[in-house]
Amino acid sequence: AGQPTLRLTDPEGQRLALLAGGSDDGFAPWRRSPVPVEFQIRGLGHVTLTVDRLAPTARVLTDVLNFRQSGDYPAADNANLRTVVFETGPGGPGAEVRVEERPDLPPTQLGSGGVHHVAFRAPNDSEHRAWRDRVRSAGIGITDVIDRFYFKSLYFREPGRVLFEIATDGPGFATDEDAAHLGEKLALPPFLEPHRAEIEAGLKPLDSSVSSPAPPR
């Protein structure tokens, strides 16, 4: 979509893309990274949904979730099909959803290399409940509020069968550990702690060590 793009897959087969030309707004360098600051990833960009029919998904994004259509471009591997861009708020990274209409592709199955759901943020409990009521009033089935300890969640499927989550910002992942050490060990909410051994046994080891800090710039 006009940006230099490097497409890749991770070891599980998940499709990823690195985009050049991002903004430094909100970027906080990780000083312990072996990657020099000027080459570090600035943040998360858009998410791309692949559906067989664009119109029903577009209606949910615009009429229910308050996105707006802001452009389109040819699909990456089929110039005859389009990818449509939807934005909310200021748009740009973290506020953009792209939808590929791909009736030529077979249905997929959830598994390694797939994304389970797409999550949207609600700043507090009252707005969270308001979104639940708004989705229900549109005739879309949605769960009741689910307490995940670190945040509260609502789930619903849009017409293209993509699972959407609306999650509160708080209480936050620093609820039970120091924010400076997030990600250094597996943290579990209290309701999953009794199953820690079973959960850890099913995880692949992840090397989170850092060989050396990046030199000052």
Side-chain angles (χ1 to χ4, degrees):
Q3 293 173 284
T5 303
L6 177 63
R7 301 183 186 278
L8 64 149
T9 57
D10 73 5
E12 298 288 343
Q14 174 60 53
R15 295 176 297 167
L16 302 170
L18 293 174
L19 306 180
S23 168
D24 279 351
D25 292 347
F27 170 62
W30 183 33
R31 298 299 178 183
R32 294 173 57 199
S33 173
V35 179
V37 170
E38 62 266 34
F39 299 125
Q40 289 182 18
I41 293 173
R42 266 42 188 171
L44 291 176
H46 64 272
V47 62
T48 300
L49 315 179
T50 304
V51 298
D52 62 349
R53 295 176 59 223
L54 171 66
T57 298
R59 281 195 294 271
V60 170
L61 288 172
T62 56
D63 296 350
V64 180
L65 298 182
N66 291 336
F67 279 77
R68 61 188 178 276
Q69 184 174 332
S70 61
D72 65 274
Y73 59 92
D77 59 349
N78 190 329
N80 295 319
L81 299 172
R82 309 296 291 175
T83 297
V84 181
V85 181
F86 297 87
E87 294 182 325
T88 188
E96 184 178 288
V97 172
R98 301 185 185 185
V99 183
E100 289 185 343
E101 185 177 41
R102 297 300 301 264
D104 58 314
L105 297 179
T108 59
Q109 282 188 307
L110 185 63
S112 296
V115 174
H116 182 265
H117 64 277
V118 176
F120 301 98
R121 298 170 61 181
N124 53 55
D125 287 352
S126 61
E127 288 202 27
H128 197 230
R129 291 190 295 269
W131 278 112
R132 176 197 59 193
D133 296 342
R134 181 178 177 86
V135 172
R136 280 181 177 166
S137 69
I140 300 171
I142 187 169
T143 66
D144 289 326
V145 174
I146 301 172
D147 190 342
R148 300 294 195 192
F149 182 69
Y150 301 111
F151 50 87
K152 295 177 182 177
S153 296
L154 297 162
Y155 298 93
F156 67 97
R157 289 195 183 274
E158 54 81 37
R161 304 303 297 162
V162 177
L163 182 62
F164 283 173
E165 176 187 16
I166 303 175
T168 58
D169 282 344
F173 288 104
T175 298
D176 58 354
E177 57 182 329
D178 186 346
H181 297 283
L182 288 174
E184 294 180 1
K185 63 179 182 179
L186 177 64
L188 295 173
F191 59 85
L192 288 179
E193 194 59 50
H195 307 286
R196 174 175 288 276
E198 178 185 354
I199 292 170
E200 289 183 339
L203 298 177
K204 293 182 179 180
L206 178 65
D207 182 7
S208 60
S209 62
V210 177
S211 56
S212 61
R217 295 281 176 170

